Amino acid sequence: MPLFLKPIFHEKVWGGNQLRQFNYEIPSEHTGECWGISAHPNGRNVILNGPYAGQTLDQVWKDHRELFGEFPSKDFPLLCKIVDAKAPLSIHVHPDDAYAYEFENGQYGKSECWYIIDAEEDAEIILGTTLETKEELQRAIESNTLLDNLRKVKVKPGEFYFIPAGTIHSIGAGITAYETMQSSDISYRLYDYNRNRDDDTQLEIQKALDVTQFLAEIPSVIPENEIIENHKCSHIVSNDFFTMVKWEVSGTLNYMKPREFCLVSVLEGEGNIITDGEIFKLEKGSNFILTSEDLDSVFEGNFTLIISYI
């Protein structure tokens, strides 16, 4: 039986109201994130169905590892969210696993991949810097010229971007994006547009300087498309941290899980999933996990899915 999850919302100074389009009841007009699949301490999804209803995903991960193929990790490894950036996010960077393990109490680092769901005309993301050394970066921060030394990329709906740990980045205003990432909530902010926040978020310049990687170019994401049973399947990214695949289903798809457990989000459309004879309704905004017990799954309907797994 799939584990359907109750979404968790985070209000942000840069958030808006676009998450309503996913059939969500958001808490305010400044809702920046929906954590759709998460066992992270900062947002633990509650199971909505079946024998584990009412338990959080981290509880089920701890007590019923057989549902995840006895995956050898202390913590649930992935996190999937939707971001609504009415205003630009802070300029920030994430640590890799080694740095996070040493300086952030053994947590995961964070590499992530973005799928652009919607974007206003001329909307852009920040992806890396034109600077080449830590010293140059520190001078740019101190002289308030950081924004002049960042790579800005105009984006369109349907595009994907991979952000390795250590890459300075930000999602710009007018963008709604789906993210698959390592299960981490560690961000080191370099610049926040001089906003007054009502939370305890602070710039963390030294840690950001410690972890920033000065890449000549950011790895491009060129999806590999194929047609399977008349459905379009786009293999987006596959690395040591996760694989991310987009499915455009129209009709009936007999889905064979590539790993013991898979994370699934419905970004458009509606229909059903049938697993081992049981029928579950799917709609835009549904988030669930296919477990090791879900051996035979059939998607029926017309929808766009993002499926992520290790």
Side-chain angles (χ1 to χ4, degrees), residues 61 67-68 71 76-77 259-263 289-291 309:
W61 173 261
L67 296 175
F68 308 94
F71 190 83
F76 190 80
R259 289 302 302 267
E260 293 83 354
F261 67 101
C262 296
L263 286 54
I289 298 173
L290 290 173
T291 74
Y309 52 91

Side-chain angles (χ1 to χ4, degrees), residues 217-284:
E217 59 183 42
I218 303 301
S220 59
V221 176
I222 303 175
E224 296 180 7
N225 299 317
E226 61 177 325
I227 302 298
I228 300 176
E229 297 182 17
N230 297 317
H231 311 285
K232 184 178 179 181
C233 175
S234 301
H235 298 271
I236 296 133
V237 65
S238 186
N239 51 45
D240 292 342
F241 309 112
F242 52 79
T243 292
M244 186 177 180
V245 181
K246 176 186 175 186
W247 282 89
E248 297 171 62
V249 177
S250 180
T252 301
L253 169 66
N254 295 288
Y255 183 70
M256 299 291 291
K257 291 200 316 294
R259 289 302 302 267
E260 293 83 354
F261 67 101
C262 296
L263 286 54
V264 186
S265 295
V266 182
L267 299 188
E268 281 290 346
E270 61 182 12
N272 298 311
I273 182 172
I274 305 168
T275 62
D276 302 317
E278 291 190 82
I279 301 175
F280 302 91
K281 180 177 173 57
L282 301 180
E283 63 179 5
K284 184 175 181 177

Side-chain angles (χ1 to χ4, degrees), residues 128-131 136-137 140 143 145-152:
T129 175
T130 57
L131 302 171
E136 289 179 352
L137 177 58
S143 62
T145 59
L146 177 63
L147 293 179
D148 300 326
N149 293 280
L150 299 174
R151 293 194 182 100
K152 302 176 179 67

Side-chain angles (χ1 to χ4, degrees), residues 75-92:
D75 300 316
F76 190 80
L78 297 179
L79 194 161
C80 298
K81 68 170 72 168
I82 302 175
V83 172
D84 171 23
K86 182 178 180 180
L89 278 64
S90 61
I91 311 301
H92 60 282

